[in-house]
């Protein structure tokens, strides 16, 4: 005696699937969509805190006007953090790939080397990096020797050397910018290196064996096998490096956003972070387009 | 010379291999130096006698070891309270994320339903939107928290203030929207997709409910993914700066925001923040802050280095 019509198996399964994702759906509405919508309204309004809540009054584009026209540092910070992103992300990803390839080889002391190379994952925090870096720099100034990468005396010497060899000043400043930040960049490769390592171990050894039989050198099989096989992880790593820079303690735009929020200037703070986010969204979509193109051209070669 | 003529190829291969080995060793030693030296330097500075910190003849190991600056910083940072707070935040949020994110990842990877792709797109959206964009309004929401309007149904108490409590971290984590929850959902989703499809069918035929299948069959198989998420969640919560400095306004804060405002703290204490004298104090504070995750790393190092490979995120 059936009182209720039994639901079909697929319908039941699809409901179960939805129930599993329900925590996220609720959380998305409560802790993401609602604050996101609110902060969007904050961009166009004046926010006043009262005893038991807050009042927003619409004031048009005043906040946007303020951050770009009157705030002394926002525009420069925005440009700086974007340029940093553009030249640092490729370098970090290339470094990570390089480290991963080395860590993937078999050699004595590999366990120890791995333990050391993953240290940055644990201490990947901008504040701590700043402190230990300035620490080492201060001591090198005291004892008159260069302790770790990125101290001024070292890059001055490099500048002189390059200038004497007749290089263009723009090229020189680009090179010294990279050497000055070498320390920071290597410290930011932790997670990306782990991801690449995972990817490298996923490549079937038979591919390399086949290439060797056909007479390919190690160099050739790197460009023809390793790199194409790692493309999906490379795109993942590029995206991860970009989103990781949001929470970097040296990201000046984000520090400014936080400071303004702590000073209860919610309108300005929201306007600043939304403009930053829109620019990042443009960068991310460019990344997606580029990697989709690479993937497609790779597929064409295969077939 | 005779040997050279006999085996040119073998000899070349061998010398190339030797060269590569040598270069690799040099490279690894250089990088290890780059990673370990600053830490070693920090530890040595932290245990140096503050009065002799500017002695130029001290290169690395102090001539006079002392615990003075460490003791001082334990007081300035209110270390035991702050570290306990940070630990509670990291542990409870990690547990909450483990439960919620694994469920969501499981639902997204093993079931097919309408709107599934949309939900996954929303997960990706939570990953790529900078957390700072929603922090100001999140702050206001927590200050006047009303459970999405539920509290307004009860007259007389329109909202509760959740600031300065661990709930600011645990509540979003419970609903899979906490600190980097999107990434954890992604990790679980990738891992669960790699398991054989027949698992659920067999369990269903044997009469397991969906939840039973998940708890009894899927979780035991997903241990690597759980370990990965546990480690990263703990580390990221411990190292979080932005959310914790927004949500905690009292003197007892998580350690990262304290470390960020170290100059102000030193200024306020009897030490002062002049660059050279304060160096040992800063090193001690840094050491105290990274000590717990560092200890965790030493004991779980093997899982860290193997976790991602085994959890199949990249597969």
């Amino acid at each position: 005696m059936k009182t209720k019509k039994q639901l079909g198996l697929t319908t039941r399964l699809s409901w179960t699937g939805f129930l599993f994702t329900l925590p996220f759906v609720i959380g998305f509405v409560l802790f993401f969509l609602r604050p996101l919508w609110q902060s969007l309204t904050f961009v166009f309004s004046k926010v006043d805190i009262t005893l038991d809540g807050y009042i927003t009054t619409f004031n048009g584009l005043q906040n946007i006007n303020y951050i770009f026209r009157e705030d002394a540092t926002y525009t420069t910070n925005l440009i700086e953090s974007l340029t940093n992103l553009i030249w640092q992300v490729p370098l970090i990803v290339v470094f990570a790939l390089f480290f991963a390839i080395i860590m993937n080889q078999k050699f004595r002391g590999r366990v120890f080397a791995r333990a050391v190379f993953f240290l940055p994952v644990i201490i990947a925090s901008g504040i701590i990096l700043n402190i230990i870096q300035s620490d080492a720099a201060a001591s090198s100034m005291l004892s008159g020797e260069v302790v770790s990468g990125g101290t001024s005396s070292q890059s001055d010497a490099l500048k002189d050397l390059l200038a004497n060899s007749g290089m263009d000043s723009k090229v020189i400043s680009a090179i010294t910018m990279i050497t000055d930040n070498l320390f920071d960049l290597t410290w930011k490769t932790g997670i990306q290196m782990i991801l690449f390592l995972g990817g490298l171990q996923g490549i079937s050894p038979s591919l390399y064996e086949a290439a060797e039989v056909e007479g390919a050198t190690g160099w050739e099989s790197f460009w023809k096998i390793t790199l194409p096989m790692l493309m999906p992880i490379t795109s993942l790593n590029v995206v991860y490096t970009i989103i990781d820079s949001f929470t970097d303690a040296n990201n000046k735009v984000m520090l400014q956003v936080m400071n303004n929020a702590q000073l209860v200037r919610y309108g300005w703070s929201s306007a600043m972070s939304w403009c930053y986010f829109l620019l990042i969204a443009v960068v991310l979509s460019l990344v997606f387009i580029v990697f989709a193109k690479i993937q497609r051209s790779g597929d064409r070669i295969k077939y | 010379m005779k040997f050279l003529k006999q085996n040119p190829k073998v000899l070349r291969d061998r010398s190339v291999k030797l060269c590569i080995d040598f270069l690799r060793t040099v490279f690894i030693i250089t990088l290890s130096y780059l990673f370990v030296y600053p830490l070693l330097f920090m530890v040595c500075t932290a245990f140096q006698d503050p009065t002799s910190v500017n002695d130029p003849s001290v290169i690395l190991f102090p001539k006079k070891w002392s615990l003075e600056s460490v003791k001082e910083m334990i007081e300035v940072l209110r270390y035991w309270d702050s570290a306990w707070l940070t630990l509670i935040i990291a542990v409870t949020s990690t547990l909450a994320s483990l439960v919620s994110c694994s469920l969501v990842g499981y639902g997204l990877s093993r079931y097919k339903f309408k709107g599934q792709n949309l939900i996954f797109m929303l997960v990706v959206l939570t990953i790529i939107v900078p957390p700072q964009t929603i922090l100001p309004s999140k702050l206001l929401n927590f200050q006047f928290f009303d459970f999405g309007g539920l509290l307004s149904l009860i007259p007389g108490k329109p909202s509760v203030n959740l600031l300065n409590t661990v709930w600011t971290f645990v509540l979003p984590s419970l609903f899979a929207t906490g600190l980097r929850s999107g990434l954890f959902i992604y990790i679980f989703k990738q891992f669960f997709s790699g398991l054989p499809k027949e698992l659920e069918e067999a369990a269903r035929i044997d009469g397991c409910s969906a939840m039973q299948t998940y708890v009894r069959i899927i979780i035991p198989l997903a241990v690597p993914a759980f370990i990965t998420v546990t480690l990263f969640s703990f580390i990221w919560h411990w190292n979080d700066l932005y959310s914790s400095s927004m949500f905690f306004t009292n003197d007892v804060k998580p350690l990262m925001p304290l470390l960020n405002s170290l100059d102000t703290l030193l200024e306020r204490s009897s030490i002062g923040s002049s660059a050279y004298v304060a160096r040992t104090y800063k090193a001690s504070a840094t050491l105290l802050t990274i000590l717990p995750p560092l200890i965790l790393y030493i004991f779980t190092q093997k899982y860290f280095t193997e976790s991602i490979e085994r959890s199949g995120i990249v597969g």
Side-chain angles (χ1 to χ4, degrees):
Chain A
M1 208 172 76
K2 265 184 202 168
T3 47
K4 204 171 65 179
K5 202 181 158 193
Q6 190 106 34
L7 287 169
L9 181 65
T10 35
T11 330
R12 229 178 337 131
L13 281 185
S14 77
W15 272 105
T16 328
F18 178 71
L19 282 181
F20 271 115
T21 54
L22 198 59
F24 173 76
V25 175
I26 297 173
F28 182 80
V29 174
L30 267 185
F31 299 110
F32 191 82
L33 199 61
R34 195 176 168 215
L36 195 70
W37 171 249
Q38 277 171 339
S39 80
L40 192 60
T41 59
F42 288 175
V43 175
F44 304 106
S45 42
K46 191 170 175 296
V47 186
D48 292 303
I49 306 293
T50 60
L51 263 178
D52 52 355
Y54 55 93
I55 305 168
T56 55
T57 36
F58 183 76
N59 69 353
L61 293 175
Q62 273 182 36
N63 290 326
I64 307 239
N65 244 332
Y66 172 82
I67 60 166
F68 283 114
R69 297 250 174 93
E70 285 168 56
D71 192 282
T73 48
Y74 180 68
T75 322
T76 30
N77 284 347
L78 195 63
I79 292 171
E80 192 193 308
S81 86
L82 270 187
T83 37
N84 277 349
L85 202 67
I86 286 164
W87 69 267
Q88 286 188 351
V89 169
L91 278 177
I92 292 176
V93 173
V94 170
F95 281 0
L97 176 62
F98 188 53
F99 295 169
I101 286 173
I102 288 189
M103 280 299 125
N104 198 34
Q105 293 168 348
K106 289 203 162 56
F107 54 88
R108 229 182 292 154
R110 187 165 85 136
V111 177
F112 172 76
R114 277 192 169 201
V116 170
F117 273 51
F118 289 131
L119 266 179
V121 178
I122 316 298
I123 316 167
S125 147
I127 318 160
I128 290 172
L129 270 189
N130 288 348
I131 292 181
I132 54 182
Q133 205 180 354
S134 65
D135 237 25
S139 100
S140 76
M141 274 191 281
L142 272 180
S143 55
E145 62 163 326
V146 178
V147 176
S148 76
T151 56
S152 59
S153 59
Q154 198 181 25
S155 68
D156 280 350
L158 184 68
K159 257 182 215 162
D160 288 346
L161 187 75
L162 292 175
N164 288 336
S165 64
M167 251 187 185
D168 189 61
S169 64
K170 271 182 196 160
V171 181
I172 295 177
S173 64
I175 291 177
T176 47
M177 186 161 76
I178 293 173
T179 51
D180 281 353
N181 288 286
L182 216 53
F183 180 82
D184 268 18
L185 293 181
T186 46
W187 271 82
K188 280 181 193 162
T189 55
I191 304 262
Q192 290 86 331
M193 182 176 58
I194 303 186
L195 286 173
F196 272 133
L197 257 178
L200 283 172
Q201 305 207 322
I203 302 176
S204 150
S206 59
L207 282 177
Y208 292 104
E209 280 163 24
E212 213 183 320
V213 170
E214 301 285 340
T217 59
W219 180 249
E220 278 167 340
S221 54
F222 170 76
W223 288 100
K224 297 272 160 71
I225 299 174
T226 315
L227 216 53
M229 293 295 276
L230 285 181
M231 254 323 141
I233 300 148
T234 314
S235 62
L236 185 70
N237 266 337
V238 170
V239 174
Y240 178 80
T241 315
I242 292 173
I243 60 169
D244 202 36
S245 74
F246 302 153
T247 44
D248 187 355
N250 292 328
N251 189 331
K252 283 188 188 155
V253 175
M254 286 312 172
L255 283 175
Q256 214 177 351
V257 168
M258 191 177 72
N259 290 339
N260 274 312
Q262 280 172 337
L263 296 171
V264 209
R265 298 170 187 152
Y266 294 122
W268 296 347
S269 159
S270 301
M272 284 174 179
S273 55
W274 267 93
C275 290
Y276 179 76
F277 170 51
L278 290 181
L279 280 173
I280 291 287
V282 172
V283 174
L284 279 176
S285 37
L286 281 179
V287 168
F288 279 125
I289 291 171
V290 168
F291 275 99
K293 271 239 167 86
I294 294 175
Q295 207 82 357
R296 229 176 297 137
S297 66
D299 287 349
R300 219 178 293 137
I301 289 167
K302 238 184 260 167
Y303 302 121
Chain B
M1 288 312 271
K2 207 178 174 188
F3 177 69
L4 260 178
K5 271 174 199 155
Q6 272 175 348
N7 273 321
K9 188 161 188 298
V10 172
L11 198 70
R12 205 197 69 194
D13 282 0
R14 205 179 287 163
S15 57
V16 165
K17 199 180 164 291
L18 259 176
C19 251
I20 288 176
D21 278 356
F22 176 72
L23 284 178
R24 185 173 54 210
T25 315
V26 170
F27 177 78
I28 288 171
I29 291 174
T30 319
L31 268 177
S32 307
Y33 170 80
L34 203 61
F35 290 145
V36 172
Y37 183 80
L39 289 181
L40 189 64
F41 188 84
M42 178 193 71
V43 173
C44 289
T45 317
F47 290 116
Q48 205 169 43
D49 189 43
T51 51
S52 68
V53 67
N54 290 330
D55 182 351
S57 64
V58 175
I59 301 296
L60 184 64
F61 294 104
K63 285 179 184 161
K64 213 168 127 195
W65 296 83
S66 112
L67 278 173
E68 199 195 311
S69 63
V70 176
K71 274 183 196 151
E72 191 81 34
M73 286 324 287
I74 286 179
E75 247 166 64
V76 171
L77 291 177
R78 299 209 187 171
Y79 184 68
W80 302 121
D81 291 342
S82 310
W84 179 246
L85 178 67
T86 323
L87 189 73
I88 292 287
I89 290 175
V91 170
T92 48
S93 316
T94 299
L95 289 177
S97 320
L98 279 180
V99 174
S100 62
C101 296
S102 67
L103 283 174
V104 176
Y106 181 66
L108 283 177
S109 63
R110 308 293 283 190
Y111 286 92
K112 280 214 165 62
F113 54 94
K114 246 186 213 160
Q116 183 182 28
N117 285 333
L118 176 75
I119 291 180
F120 185 61
M121 293 297 275
L122 297 182
V123 172
V124 174
L125 187 70
T126 62
I127 297 177
I128 63 172
V129 172
Q132 290 87 345
T133 311
I134 58 169
L135 265 184
S137 39
K138 240 178 154 178
L139 176 78
L140 283 177
N141 279 341
F142 282 133
Q143 198 172 353
F144 308 106
F145 194 70
D146 56 1
F147 294 96
L150 281 181
L151 262 191
S152 57
L153 299 175
I154 308 162
K157 198 166 182 0
S159 64
V160 284
N161 187 350
L162 290 185
L163 294 186
N164 294 311
T165 63
V166 290
W167 292 109
T168 50
F169 281 90
V170 178
L171 265 184
S173 291
L174 262 180
F175 290 100
T177 33
L179 190 74
R180 298 206 172 178
S181 286
L183 282 178
F184 301 143
I185 295 177
Y186 181 78
I187 293 177
F188 279 120
K189 179 180 178 287
Q190 289 294 93
F191 185 84
F192 291 139
S193 316
L195 297 175
K197 279 257 179 296
E198 292 76 21
L199 285 173
E200 275 99 347
E201 284 166 24
R204 197 168 50 237
I205 288 165
D206 286 347
C208 267
S209 71
M211 207 55 202
Q212 274 174 328
T213 315
Y214 175 70
V215 174
R216 296 214 186 144
I217 294 163
I218 303 295
I219 289 183
L221 287 171
V223 172
F226 276 91
I227 290 177
T228 312
V229 170
T230 308
L231 293 175
F232 282 111
S233 176
F234 184 87
I235 295 293
W236 281 335
H237 275 97
W238 191 278
N239 284 342
D240 171 66
L241 167 66
Y242 287 97
S243 308
S244 4
S245 46
M246 288 283 250
F247 297 150
F248 287 85
T249 48
N250 287 350
D251 277 352
V252 174
K253 284 181 200 187
L255 287 166
M256 271 308 150
L258 281 179
L259 201 62
N260 195 35
S261 55
L262 194 59
D263 280 337
T264 334
L265 285 176
L266 285 176
E267 206 79 68
R268 231 190 285 156
S269 71
S270 55
I271 302 162
S273 69
S274 79
Y276 287 131
V277 186
R279 242 180 63 211
T280 59
Y281 295 106
K282 281 187 184 175
S284 309
T286 317
L287 179 67
L288 285 170
T289 307
I290 63 169
L291 202 59
L294 212 56
I295 292 172
L296 177 80
Y297 179 63
I298 290 167
F299 287 112
T300 56
Q301 185 261 114
K302 204 182 116 212
Y303 296 105
F304 255 103
T305 52
E306 285 168 11
S307 59
I308 289 207
E309 289 158 26
R310 281 192 300 155
S311 64
I313 296 163
V314 272

